[in-house]
Amino acid sequence: MSEQRVRFAGKALELFLILSLAMGALLAGAVALLYRADLNSFLSELKEREERALERQAAAIGDEFDVIVGDLLFLSRQNELHAYLERKDAKALRAIQDEYLTLVDVKRIYDQIRYLNADGMEKVRVNFAAGKPRVVPEGELQNKSGRYYFADTFALGRGEVFVSPLDLNVELGEVERPLKPMIRFGTPVIDCDGNKRGVVLLNYLAAGLLSRIEAQGAGARSVAMLVNSDGYWLLHPDEQKEWGFMFDDRAGLSLANAYPREWRMIRERRTGQVRTENGLITFAAVYPLLEVSGSSSGSCEPNAPSGKHLDPSEYFWVLVSRVPCEVITAHSRALMSRLLMIGAGLFLILSYGAWQLAAAVAKRRIYQDRLVKMALTDSLTGLPNRVLFFDRLGEGIAHATRFGRKLGLLYIDLDGFKGINDTLGHDAGDELLIQVGGALKKNLRKSDTVARLGGDEFAAILFEIKEPEDAQLIGEKVVATLSRPFELKAGAARIGASVGAAVFPDHESTVSDLVKRADAAMYRAKAMGKGACVMDMKGLRNNL
C-alpha cells in the first residue's frame, strides 16, 4: 500500500506540474496582452485629452480676439468721435471720454483706450489703474508719432486692424513692474470724406487671456505652455522662464533652447503630437490675425520703428502641452505591478482547482438568480412583483430626494376584469393580464417600472418627471390604452382601468404615504364612474 501511495503521489505531482506550466503560460500571455491593451488605451486617452485641451485654448484665443476687434472697429466709427472731427469742440471731446470711460469700466480688459490725431498726438486717453478708469488730463497727453504701433496702424486702410506682438508693457524705456502682458490693437479713423484723421488704439491686458489659456489646459498630468513664433515662452508654469526676449538675463530661456529637437518639429509641422525622451509633446499653432489685416515685429525701444511688417500667416503663437515621461513610466510600472499581482493570485487559485470551483460557483449563482427572480417577479406576467415594486419605489424616492427631482406613481386597477374571468374563463383572464402588462410596458418609458401588485392591480413608477401634470397625462394615456379591445384566444375582450396618480414630493414624502395617496386617488376614479385617471391637485404639499 505504501508503494501504491508513492506512485499515486508521483503521478499526481507530474500532472499538477504539467497543468501548472500550461496555466502559467496562458496567464503570462494574458498578462502581456492586457498590459499592452491597457497601456495603449491609456496613451490614446492621454493624447486625445491633450488635443482637446489645445482646441479649447485656441477657441479661447479666437473668441477673445473677436471681441477686441469688434470693440476697436466700433470705437473707430463712433458717432461722438466723428462729431468731434467735424466740430473740434469740448462737448464732443467729453462725449468721447465718457464713452471710453464706460467701456473700460465695463470690460476691465483694457489698460488704455486712446484716440490719436493724424500727427500722433493723443487727444483722448483713458487709463485703467487700481481698478478704476481715469481720463488723462490734457497736459499729460503725449505725442506717439515715433512709436511703431502708431505708424503701422496709420498706414492701414479703412476697416483694417493692426495687432502688436504680445509682449510686456514698457514705460519710460523700462519694463513695467509688476509685469503687464500687453497687446496693442489699432485701426485708422477715416472721416466721411475718406481722409485719415488719426487712429484708435486699445492696450489690451493679456493677463486674463493667459490665465484662461492656462485654465483650459490645466491637467494633473500635463504642463500647459504658450510660446511665440521665436520659441520664447509667453506662458510657463515657472514664471521666471517667461518673456525671455524682454530681459537680457533671460535671453537663453526659451522652448527653442530647452527642447531644440521638438522645436524643429513644431516649426516644420506647426500642429501635431510627438513622443520623445522629454515626454508626450502636443502642439498647435494659433494664427490670431487671419481674420484681421496686419501686424509688425514691433520694437522694444520706445521710439524705434517696427523691425518688419508681418503677414497674418507669420504672426502666430504655439500652444504646447508636455506630459513628462515620468507620468507614462509611472502608469506603466503600476499597471505591470498590478497585473503581475493579479496573475500570481490567479495562478495560485487555478493551481488548486479553479475550473472545478468556477463551475460550482456558476451553478450556484444560476440557482440563486433563479430563486431571486422567482421571489421578485410575478410568475404570470414576468413583471416586478409587490416586493420588488416597493424596493424600487424606495430607491426612486431616495434618488429623487438626493438630486431634487420628482417621481410619479400610478396605481392601476382594471375595470371589468372579473367579467372576463366569468365569461371567458380563467385562462383567458391570465392571457389578458399578460397582455395588459405588455401594453403598460410598451406605453411607458424604459426607465420607468411597471409592476403587478396582485390580482388585477398594477402600478407604475415614473422616474424623473418635471411637473405633477406629467403624471396625470401619463395616467390618462394608460386609461386610453387599456380601454382598447384585447384579442384573446377565447375572443375579443374589452376592459377599462381606473388610475390614481400621486407625485413625490408634491403629494407625500414617504413610500407608504405616497402609495396610500395613489390608492385613494384610484378609488376616487372608481367612485366617479371608472375609466379615468384621478390626481388630487388640491392636495399638493408646499415644497418651497
Side-chain angles (χ1 to χ4, degrees), residues 186-206:
T187 191
V189 175
I190 301 176
D191 64 19
C192 58
D193 296 324
N195 301 314
K196 288 185 184 179
R197 304 295 297 276
V199 300
V200 173
L201 292 172
L202 297 178
N203 284 18
Y204 168 68
L205 295 167

Side-chain angles (χ1 to χ4, degrees), residues 393-513:
L393 181 58
E395 290 180 354
I397 287 178
H399 184 273
T401 301
R402 181 178 179 184
F403 295 99
R405 295 170 180 169
K406 298 182 186 294
L407 174 147
L409 174 62
L410 301 181
Y411 208 103
I412 306 162
D413 187 86
L414 303 184
D415 298 329
F417 177 75
K418 185 176 183 299
I420 300 300
N421 274 338
D422 293 341
T423 58
L424 299 180
H426 288 281
D427 289 341
D430 290 345
E431 184 183 357
L432 177 60
L433 290 174
I434 293 171
Q435 289 195 28
V436 167
L440 290 173
K441 288 181 66 176
K442 183 178 180 181
N443 282 274
L444 295 177
R445 300 170 300 180
K446 290 183 179 180
S447 59
D448 296 331
T449 292
V450 178
R452 183 187 177 201
L453 304 183
D456 59 348
E457 291 185 341
F458 293 81
I461 305 172
L462 311 175
F463 295 101
E464 296 186 13
I465 63 174
K466 294 183 179 179
E467 300 295 337
E469 289 78 5
D470 294 342
Q472 176 77 32
L473 291 174
I474 295 172
E476 292 172 355
K477 181 180 177 182
V478 168
V479 171
T481 297
L482 299 184
S483 297
R484 297 167 186 162
F486 288 88
E487 293 297 329
L488 307 178
K489 294 178 182 178
R494 182 181 288 276
I495 58 171
S498 296
V499 179
V503 175
F504 170 88
D506 299 75
H507 286 113
E508 301 293 348
S509 60
T510 66
V511 171
S512 60
D513 290 341

Side-chain angles (χ1 to χ4, degrees), residues 176-243:
E176 185 177 355
R177 302 280 182 168
L179 302 183
K180 188 183 287 185
M182 190 78 67
I183 308 176
R184 297 166 186 85
F185 292 76
T187 191
V189 175
I190 301 176
D191 64 19
C192 58
D193 296 324
N195 301 314
K196 288 185 184 179
R197 304 295 297 276
V199 300
V200 173
L201 292 172
L202 297 178
N203 284 18
Y204 168 68
L205 295 167
L209 176 60
L210 294 174
S211 296
R212 280 191 292 279
I213 293 172
E214 186 176 28
Q216 292 287 359
R221 295 185 173 95
S222 62
V223 175
M225 296 175 282
L226 179 69
V227 299
N228 64 14
S229 55
D230 294 323
Y232 284 98
W233 280 300
L234 308 175
L235 177 66
H236 191 280
D238 183 359
E239 295 179 356
Q240 297 303 312
K241 295 184 178 181
E242 297 173 347
W243 314 107

Side-chain angles (χ1 to χ4, degrees), residues 358-379:
V361 170
K363 290 179 181 179
R364 183 175 180 83
R365 286 183 176 175
I366 292 172
Y367 178 71
Q368 289 177 336
D369 290 343
R370 188 177 300 165
L371 290 177
V372 169
K373 185 175 181 180
M374 291 173 62
L376 298 179
T377 59
D378 176 59
S379 60

